[in-house]
Amino acid sequence: MLHALDAITAIRQGDETAAKPHSWLMKLVSAEERIVNLERITSIGQLAAANPVLDYVERTLKILDSLPVSYWIKELLEEVLMWAETAKGGTMRDRLRWQQSGVNLFLHNIGSAQLYERHIRDTGGVMTPHEEMVHTLILTHGLVGQHIRGEVPFEENLPLLQLVEQGQLTADELIRLLIPLNHCIVGAVSEELWHSVQEEVTALIRRLATGTQPNMWTYEDRLRRLRTASIARGEDFDRQLSQIRQQTDLTQALHGFQNMTLWYVEAALQDYSLEEFMKVLLLALHPKKLYRERQQEEVNPGSVSHLSFEPLMNDMYYDYQGVKKLNVYKKRMIEQYLRQMDWNTCLHGPATVNPHLSHRIERKPELPDTVFFTFEFSRAAEKLIEFCIEAEKSPLYEKAVLLLFDLFGLRRDAYDRFHNEESYLNDMNSTGDYKKVILDYITGEVVLDIGPGGGVLLDLMEEQLPHVRPVGIDISSNVIETLEKRKRLEHKAWEVLKGDALRLREYVEPGSVDTVIFSSIIHELYSYIEMDGFRFNRATVEAALSSAYEVLRPGGRIIIRDGIMTEPVDTMRRIRFREADGLEWLLRYASDFKGRAIVYEQLAQDEVRLPVNDAMEFLYTYTWGAEAYVHEVQEQFGYFTPSQYEECIRTTLGEEAIIRVQQHYLQEGYAEALADRIVFMDEEGQPVKLPDSTCLYVIEKPAHS
């Protein structure tokens, strides 16, 4: 086993004195600041009780220990790996002292090389050729991989070539050194990642060792590398970049960009669209003024060599139930901020005026060649975002989110599920079997799916109705973004549009659509959209029907699959809870639900009597469980009885509208989900079936003009 691993093992086993003979280990063991690339971790909370830098160094050394390389290579690389992360170590006092003495703690390869050099001089004076070689390898540590990611220009690796040019190593020896070194560096992140880049890393190292420089990047080459992860998740890079080129001169805007090093760019910006990414990049590259911290002294942007997004990365994540989560609240507000900014503003200013959000470009006196970029929220906005996170499993959540929307001028009906949007879309995709019935009633070629969720109905149409051209329309930007990426990854033919279900004529020509589908979406429009100043408004349903009817061709159809109330409405039912906290759920629900007053009479500790539709409205939310409660309690699933639905259709669309299908049924799964949780009874206490939960309406526009 390597000597360095012996020392780390002794530390792990509780020998606190094991680090004292090793300056590098003292620095790593005493690390108080958690400096880590958040792209690679799953839980931020666990960092408080961990030493991720020491853990990473140990993994690199274990890989080295297992590699079949010669003794001199293993010995040399052991020393490199011991010191390569030391600029991330030390106590807070150590780090302050290092920084004040000129150690670069923000560019960790440079800072670690400086600490190694000081250690050698403090212990032995002038560096030997061996130590100079170690110093160079620390200085360039990780830069081959970062070049492949687009973060570092190839030229940053040229100090390695000097080892050959100065006769310290042959080209073959440099290759034999660098391939295992990069295996350790990348493999300690993920062996799978190493296998995916091994071929490209090896080719790049061979070029470097032989002095053969690759072709210089175009800005497009570099952007494509920086967006590798986004492209792998479905981003249509070429189309989107072409659209941006039509709006601004990127050749001029990105002048000098190819020669800069970028730090933490993927970790900070991978969840943003290409347009948003480009706007952030231009804001960082073209500040109207760059100031030194405290001195307020304007400096020359041309002197910048390094652009770091580390502050933004650290600000974009939080822990949710022990898992690292993107701070989607901040992301939505940043997206709105960037949306309000055109390309000219990004290049020349002035910045969008928003009292609660601005972008900040910071330079530190000790690092004149480095710029740090992030977004800065007002104290009020920060507190409100913290409140949203704290309220995620509380009925206050919706109020907190809507306050945040109001603060940043976002439309309230664009409200989405934020912290569990991904799981929500996955749930929607699991409802395919329930939605297949809709396919039987589709007519014509052009079909709009309003509120497509995860795209399950779009998939069904593409698979089973090849003559149909499905188009999904949703008001939520992240739903559209997710669908566009999936469309590209899975080579789907359906289309998606960001749009308002109540204003369809703004996105498609009136009279050009054959079928409009509302699958479990009208109750959400009814529940979330304010009409005439309030939600849960029949006018919203009327507006949705009118909007759809207007874009239909003669003979076209509206298909509605949604919740239904039962008749007669004065029927009473009893619920006996089989779970100890069942009654608490009802009490909470009756207090939190705003669709209408939920009336109930408590008959016993575990039993209540209430109107059938109040009972069912509660049970729809009760079925979904605690995780979905804060959202489901905001929605009224059953908003009309069958007779009320028919009357609304007639009143809104006129007597000429033909109701081809009018069905009501209990959705499969409800009875099974509730069987172990409640007993559903009539007024005499006899068990009865649940009433119909779901309706299916097919409304046809007459073929005559």
Side-chain angles (χ1 to χ4, degrees), residues 477-651:
S477 298
N478 64 315
V479 169
I480 295 300
E481 183 180 329
T482 300
L483 286 171
E484 284 180 336
K485 288 179 179 179
R486 192 165 79 79
K487 166 186 166 72
R488 181 169 172 79
L489 276 179
E490 300 176 17
H491 308 291
K492 299 292 185 180
W494 41 253
E495 303 169 35
V496 288
L497 293 173
K498 185 176 186 297
D500 187 342
L502 307 189
R503 299 177 177 84
L504 291 176
R505 67 174 299 149
E506 296 178 10
Y507 315 100
V508 294
E509 285 290 325
S512 66
V513 175
D514 297 297
T515 303
V516 179
I517 300 170
F518 293 98
S519 180
S520 291
I521 194 65
I522 290 184
H523 79 272
E524 294 198 0
L525 303 177
Y526 175 79
S527 300
Y528 289 113
I529 296 179
E530 288 190 0
M531 295 286 282
D532 304 321
F534 63 96
R535 299 186 299 149
F536 306 104
N537 190 338
R538 169 180 164 139
T540 307
V541 182
E542 294 171 348
L545 292 175
S546 296
S547 173
Y549 201 71
E550 185 178 21
V551 299
L552 286 182
R553 303 181 199 274
R557 290 176 172 178
I558 299 171
I559 303 174
I560 301 168
R561 175 189 171 275
D562 213 345
I564 195 74
M565 295 170 69
T566 194
E567 292 175 314
V569 295
D570 58 357
T571 301
M572 301 299 290
R573 287 291 180 257
R574 289 161 65 173
I575 297 175
R576 182 184 303 136
F577 293 102
R578 287 177 162 168
E579 295 176 322
D581 63 349
L583 184 59
E584 293 177 19
W585 272 78
L586 176 60
L587 295 175
R588 179 183 176 189
Y589 180 83
S591 174
D592 296 340
F593 182 61
K594 305 305 179 187
R596 63 174 184 268
I598 300 297
V599 180
Y600 64 91
E601 176 188 359
Q602 186 172 344
L603 303 178
Q605 189 174 356
D606 60 351
E607 190 171 326
V608 293
R609 176 178 179 270
L610 67 174
V612 62
N613 289 310
D614 287 358
M616 289 304 296
E617 199 61 52
F618 161 67
L619 291 175
Y620 296 138
T621 295
Y622 189 58
T623 305
W624 280 89
E627 180 68 19
Y629 177 84
V630 295
H631 302 293
E632 298 303 324
V633 74
Q634 311 298 334
E635 299 176 7
Q636 183 169 325
F637 187 58
Y639 46 95
F640 289 158
T641 64
S643 59
Q644 288 170 341
Y645 226 130
E646 182 174 357
E647 187 272 332
C648 179
I649 293 168
R650 298 291 182 202
T651 302

Side-chain angles (χ1 to χ4, degrees), residues 11-31:
I11 290 289
R12 300 287 194 202
Q13 293 174 347
D15 183 357
E16 296 180 1
T17 65
K20 289 184 179 179
H22 309 287
S23 178
W24 63 273
L25 189 52
M26 285 289 291
K27 291 175 173 59
L28 297 181
V29 169
S30 64

